[in-house]
Amino acid sequence: MWIADKWKDYEVLDCSNGEKLERWGKYLLVRPDPQVIWNTPRKLPGWKSRNAHYHRSKKGGGEWEFFDLPQQWSIHYRDLTFNLKPFNFKHTGLFPEQAANWDWFSEKIKNAGRPVKVLNLFAYTGGATLAAAAAGASVTHVDASKGMVTWAKENAVSSGLKEAPIRWLVDDCVKFVEREIRRGNHYDAIIMDPPSYGRGPKGEIWKIEESIHPFIHLCTKILSDDPLFFLVNSYTTGLAPAVLTYMLSTELKKYHGHVESQEIALPVTSTGLYLPCGASGRWEK
């Protein structure tokens, strides 16, 4: 298990009965979490003094209940700054558990001893993009949502990375990779954080169980001759770490690297235990 335990501006304070109590900077949020199947006593006062609470609907989706929360605020991780806001389906614009991966690949980039080109696919609001750029890589950031790419650019400005070598693209990730193959472009590292289900800008349908393995295979065609790393994240229950290891091991076999996959998790302050938050598969040279 890889633990994102270096945060100062974020923590999971407690979790019980399908929800987690989190501190985002100075604000407390209660949000649903399907992994929290235990029902333990809610002793922390933050459960009642939260700034906002996302209530899931039995019909699907849900809505925010606000008590005292600004429309937007910021938190920091190391030298990075992330602008947050509550928006649809419980999200705030950041997945803090991914910091475990940011730290891992940042060290690889810093120690590479050469220029590193990184491709970040399904790149969302740019957490991995900014971490890679701050470590010295040139990054191509691809996401199908114009709004997410705009948000990522704002995070780059807030993090002092406005002039960093980042290429921002609103595009369907599969079609972009297919075009890169035809153009003969290559990357030293690939990061992908595919959704369980999604649609591209022109209605392209993505179902992770059907699409992820062919897509990994496609991406190997744009790796450089001496790739540095390949990172796949999954928040889909059916894709266990061993499945990620199997796919990466078979598709990147010719590069003679090492593959390891684990759950990623966040520490829970009240119990000293860890809350699982998906899985990551890492290939490295």
Side-chain angles (χ1 to χ4, degrees), residues 107-166:
E107 286 303 307
K108 298 198 71 61
I109 292 167
K110 290 175 183 177
N111 297 328
R114 58 184 170 99
V116 177
K117 286 178 61 180
V118 174
L119 174 60
N120 187 14
L121 298 163
F122 311 97
Y124 196 52
T125 57
T129 293
L130 302 188
S138 59
V139 186
T140 297
H141 173 111
V142 186
D143 195 277
S145 168
K146 183 178 180 180
M148 292 300 109
V149 174
T150 298
W151 194 339
K153 289 180 181 179
E154 294 169 357
N155 286 336
V157 172
S158 298
S159 297
L161 294 168
K162 182 180 179 180
E163 303 302 324
I166 303 172

Side-chain angles (χ1 to χ4, degrees), residues 119 121-122 173-175 177-178 181 187 189-195 206-224 227 229-234 239-255 259-261 279-283:
L119 174 60
L121 298 163
F122 311 97
C173 289
V174 176
K175 290 188 176 180
V177 171
E178 290 172 341
I181 293 170
Y187 297 86
I190 294 177
I191 300 165
M192 66 170 72
D193 199 344
W206 168 279
K207 293 182 180 179
I208 193 167
E209 293 89 349
E210 299 173 4
S211 306
I212 184 65
H213 180 238
F215 190 49
I216 291 173
H217 175 75
L218 196 68
C219 287
T220 63
K221 298 181 180 180
I222 56 171
L223 282 174
S224 63
F229 66 86
F230 198 121
L231 171 65
V232 180
N233 292 306
S234 169
L239 291 183
V243 175
L244 299 177
T245 293
Y246 201 101
M247 289 188 293
L248 288 171
S249 296
T250 53
E251 292 304 325
L252 284 86
K253 185 177 181 179
K254 71 176 183 179
Y255 293 105
V259 178
E260 184 177 0
S261 302
S280 293
R282 301 171 176 175
W283 176 93

Side-chain angles (χ1 to χ4, degrees), residues 3-245:
I3 313 296
D5 57 1
K6 301 295 190 297
W7 280 96
K8 295 180 180 178
D9 277 5
Y10 172 85
E11 63 181 317
V12 179
L13 296 167
D14 196 14
C15 47
S16 173
N17 195 26
E19 295 182 313
K20 56 190 174 186
L21 172 65
E22 306 163 289
R23 178 180 65 83
W24 298 81
K26 63 180 180 180
Y27 300 105
L28 300 182
L29 303 185
V30 175
R31 298 191 299 156
D33 191 312
Q35 299 282 5
V36 182
I37 60 173
W38 48 88
N39 189 2
T40 49
R42 297 187 175 191
K43 297 180 180 179
L44 295 184
W47 283 108
K48 295 182 179 179
S49 61
R50 72 264 190 228
N51 297 96
H53 190 162
Y54 187 90
H55 298 279
R56 177 165 283 169
S57 169
K58 294 181 180 178
K59 298 179 181 178
E63 62 180 357
W64 284 97
E65 179 184 13
F66 298 108
F67 302 100
D68 183 20
L69 187 72
Q71 290 184 331
Q72 181 170 307
W73 74 103
S74 299
I75 64 172
H76 307 280
Y77 184 76
R78 302 192 187 276
D79 295 329
L80 304 177
T81 298
F82 299 102
N83 302 303
L84 308 176
K85 51 191 172 186
F87 73 114
N88 58 344
F89 197 63
K90 80 179 181 180
H91 296 305
T92 63
L94 189 67
F95 291 88
E97 62 274 9
Q98 286 298 328
N101 286 320
W102 304 340
D103 290 345
W104 170 74
F105 65 66
S106 293
E107 286 303 307
K108 298 198 71 61
I109 292 167
K110 290 175 183 177
N111 297 328
R114 58 184 170 99
V116 177
K117 286 178 61 180
V118 174
L119 174 60
N120 187 14
L121 298 163
F122 311 97
Y124 196 52
T125 57
T129 293
L130 302 188
S138 59
V139 186
T140 297
H141 173 111
V142 186
D143 195 277
S145 168
K146 183 178 180 180
M148 292 300 109
V149 174
T150 298
W151 194 339
K153 289 180 181 179
E154 294 169 357
N155 286 336
V157 172
S158 298
S159 297
L161 294 168
K162 182 180 179 180
E163 303 302 324
I166 303 172
R167 187 163 58 130
W168 307 100
L169 299 172
V170 179
D171 206 343
D172 175 77
C173 289
V174 176
K175 290 188 176 180
F176 171 77
V177 171
E178 290 172 341
R179 287 197 299 274
E180 289 292 82
I181 293 170
R182 293 195 294 269
R183 288 186 285 239
N185 289 336
H186 294 88
Y187 297 86
D188 303 300
I190 294 177
I191 300 165
M192 66 170 72
D193 199 344
S196 298
Y197 179 85
R199 289 183 180 272
K202 296 181 180 179
E204 301 90 345
I205 294 176
W206 168 279
K207 293 182 180 179
I208 193 167
E209 293 89 349
E210 299 173 4
S211 306
I212 184 65
H213 180 238
F215 190 49
I216 291 173
H217 175 75
L218 196 68
C219 287
T220 63
K221 298 181 180 180
I222 56 171
L223 282 174
S224 63
D225 292 334
D226 186 22
L228 189 63
F229 66 86
F230 198 121
L231 171 65
V232 180
N233 292 306
S234 169
Y235 289 90
T236 304
T237 307
L239 291 183
V243 175
L244 299 177
T245 293

